[in-house]
Amino acid sequence: MNDKDKKFWLLVLKLALGAIALVAFFGVGLYYTAKYNSYAPPDTPAAPDWGIAKDSPIRNKR
């Protein structure tokens, strides 16, 4: 094996280890958010309980 082959396989090994580390990092992050429910919305509504969001799309016959 010459020096060029060694550099190529070293680069391949570094890229593979980097990809494994990246997948593991995101996996741990997803596991943490699922276990501790850190993505849940707050219990109290952020907006008041009135406005167009509560209106019916069907007009009321008065």
Side-chain angles (χ1 to χ4, degrees):
M1 283 176 81
N2 60 11
D3 194 39
K4 218 173 195 179
D5 273 348
K6 288 180 184 177
K7 286 184 180 179
F8 171 73
W9 288 112
L10 190 61
L11 177 66
V12 169
L13 180 65
K14 285 180 182 178
L15 288 174
L17 290 176
I20 290 170
L22 196 61
V23 167
F25 176 74
F26 281 112
V28 167
L30 289 173
Y31 173 77
Y32 175 80
T33 57
K35 182 158 179 74
Y36 296 107
N37 204 11
S38 62
Y39 57 88
D43 291 337
T44 58
D49 203 16
W50 57 271
I52 196 168
K54 299 292 181 182
D55 290 347
S56 172
I58 302 169
R59 279 193 74 92
N60 198 0
K61 295 181 182 179
R62 298 182 202 189

